[in-house]
Amino acid sequence: ERYELMEDFPHWSYSYQSLFGLASTQVSGDDIVSLVDHHRCHADIINFSNGEFYEERLRVATKYDNLRSPNRSEPGIRWVDVKGKVARPGSGGAINSQEVNAVLATLRDLVLNKGYEGSVGVVTPFRAQANAITEAINHDNELAAVLVQRGFLADTVHKFQGDERDVMIFSPVVSVGLPSHALGFLRSNGNLFNVAITRARAQLIVVGDLASCGSCDIGYLSRFAAYSTSLEKRSNGAVESQLKEFGPSYPKVAKPELVSDWEKQFYVSAYEAGFRLIPQYAIEKYIVDFLMVDEGRRLVIEIDGERYHRNWTGELCRRDQIRNQRLFELGYDVLRFWVYEVRDDLDGCLRRIEQWRRHSAL
């Protein structure tokens, strides 16, 4: 308004596009540098955004030792299921009172009962919901006294842009009775959802109606509900329950197209040598060639094929470094064998596994 640009430059408005989007139209493609290494979030959190919003361009390089997780045995996203009902207050927007109460209970459990000392925040798409949560906390003197010392904030996404907390609670509001205007707002603002969930470093706690979010006509939210459920199932499935003994032949696996003949031969030879391997074992977003468990220790075994080495690039090297770092942080040891090692010195490969097993018994 000051410079009389409103009529001729409406596309410069923040509601039309981001500042980055505007800047990118003023330069050539060579002048844009993509920052692909992500260091903030637990992999469970950023992996969803990576697939949904970034076309898998990000490399997750988070150092987990720096995360203040409430419970390292839990996934990075935990869903507290609440059957709520949405109302439209006189001031507009949307509010879900059942979620407000559940957010308060979740905060009390996390901060007062469990004594969690990391930073905490609450984010929600709607101003009315944020105000209701803030009021509920202010009426709880015991909880408010603790949170005020942690830089606590309950607000909409816009207030959290560029900010972060160790633990974020997300209140989606979506449930029975969601007004059409609220549905339209959510459907057209996936970028705000992306910002909301990635404010969490160690854990994102979603307090909301899982069934309603999963069946809603908001594509990214329904996919997020399904993704969160898959994480919960993965977490609840104890490793020990997956450690069934396979027979002497390479078993049927979920993705046989990823299995080379050398992997099959390696499995058979390892079985004959007394090693019980689990093929195509899923660890977070990774699928490793083999997992071996011995005396509580876990060994990942990878067979790198000829194509793997032929296509070797700096990008592949960086991704492998990040992958190995994450496996180490999760408590896995890693052995990698080149396919020609398996072909020319299979006994030597098996000896290295035996050396690892002897070391685990010390």
Side-chain angles (χ1 to χ4, degrees):
E1 289 179 339
R2 179 185 301 175
Y3 296 101
E4 300 179 350
L5 299 173
M6 298 295 287
E7 292 186 5
D8 295 333
F9 296 90
H11 58 286
W12 283 30
S13 169
Y14 77 92
S15 61
Y16 182 84
Q17 66 177 334
S18 68
L19 182 59
F20 175 82
L22 175 62
S24 65
T25 66
Q26 307 301 307
V27 299
S28 68
D30 294 338
D31 294 325
I32 298 176
V33 178
S34 297
L35 304 180
V36 296
D37 283 345
H38 178 90
H39 297 275
R40 179 194 300 123
C41 302
H42 189 289
D44 288 346
I45 301 168
I46 192 59
N47 280 343
F48 176 79
S49 290
N50 197 14
E52 185 73 19
F53 300 105
Y54 298 113
E55 301 175 343
E56 298 289 350
R57 294 192 301 268
L58 298 183
R59 300 181 300 210
V60 184
T62 305
K63 292 188 179 298
Y64 279 65
D65 291 342
N66 298 334
L67 298 182
R68 303 185 68 176
S69 177
N71 186 341
R72 288 189 179 274
S73 65
E74 293 180 344
I77 299 174
R78 179 166 68 88
W79 196 298
V80 178
D81 193 13
V82 180
K83 302 303 179 186
K85 185 175 182 180
V86 183
R88 181 175 185 176
S91 57
I95 189 169
N96 187 325
S97 297
Q98 290 81 1
E99 275 188 27
V100 172
N101 296 332
V103 167
L104 188 67
T106 301
L107 283 169
R108 287 189 62 86
D109 180 62
L110 179 67
V111 176
L112 299 182
N113 298 342
K114 296 178 179 176
Y116 179 68
E117 297 182 351
S119 59
V120 183
V122 178
V123 64
T124 181
F126 301 103
R127 164 58 51 200
Q129 184 78 350
N131 291 345
I133 292 170
T134 301
E135 290 174 10
I137 293 170
N138 289 338
H139 280 99
D140 188 326
N141 294 331
E142 183 183 16
L143 180 61
V146 175
L147 290 179
V148 74
Q149 302 174 18
R150 311 276 183 86
F152 176 80
L153 179 65
D155 218 313
T156 61
V157 180
H158 298 90
K159 284 288 186 179
F160 278 103
Q161 193 133 17
D163 203 353
E164 58 189 35
R165 294 292 189 276
D166 293 316
V167 172
M168 286 293 297
I169 297 175
F170 176 58
S171 173
V173 181
V174 175
S175 193
V176 176
L178 184 71
S180 58
H181 76 278
L183 178 64
F185 171 76
L186 293 173
R187 191 186 294 134
S188 60
N189 282 281
N191 61 315
L192 295 182
F193 173 80
N194 179 37
V195 173
I197 65 172
T198 56
R199 300 308 92 193
R201 287 192 290 256
Q203 189 175 54
L204 174 71
I205 303 175
V206 184
V207 178
D209 190 327
L210 180 58
S212 292
C213 289
S215 61
C216 70
D217 189 24
I218 307 167
Y220 63 81
L221 186 57
S222 62
R223 290 188 289 272
F224 179 71
Y227 172 81
S228 301
T229 301
S230 71
L231 294 179
E232 197 71 28
K233 289 179 179 178
R234 184 198 72 193
S235 176
N236 290 337
V239 173
E240 287 74 16
S241 68
Q242 302 175 50
L243 296 180
K244 60 182 178 180
E245 182 174 324
F246 295 103
S249 301
Y250 192 95
K252 292 183 179 179
V253 293
K255 297 184 177 181
E257 69 276 7
L258 300 181
V259 182
S260 69
D261 290 338
W262 289 110
E263 289 174 44
K264 295 177 182 178
Q265 180 177 330
F266 188 86
Y267 174 91
V268 171
S269 299
Y271 189 94
E272 293 172 351
F275 303 128
R276 299 298 176 256
L277 306 182
I278 303 174
Q280 282 205 355
Y281 189 79
I283 304 174
E284 292 190 340
K285 69 173 183 177
Y286 304 117
I287 297 178
V288 301
D289 291 339
F290 298 106
L291 174 70
M292 176 176 162
V293 178
D294 187 80
E295 299 293 333
R297 292 177 67 224
R298 301 171 186 177
L299 175 67
V300 167
I301 300 173
E302 298 276 45
I303 309 297
D304 298 333
E306 183 179 5
R307 181 181 300 176
Y308 175 87
H309 287 271
R310 188 187 312 129
N311 297 336
W312 184 261
T313 62
E315 172 67 14
L316 186 58
C317 176
R318 176 61 176 153
R319 288 187 180 273
D320 269 352
Q321 289 174 339
I322 293 172
R323 174 188 173 107
N324 286 349
Q325 172 189 308
R326 182 59 186 137
L327 292 174
F328 294 146
E329 289 171 339
L330 289 169
Y332 295 87
D333 294 326
V334 180
L335 278 179
R336 305 189 79 104
F337 298 115
W338 191 17
V339 64
Y340 293 136
E341 287 183 272
V342 176
R343 184 193 67 182
D344 299 335
D345 189 19
L346 179 58
D347 289 341
C349 297
L350 298 177
R351 280 196 300 271
R352 288 177 62 187
I353 299 176
E354 179 59 34
Q355 290 170 357
W356 176 87
R357 184 161 67 177
R358 284 203 305 268
H359 179 73
S360 70
L362 297 178

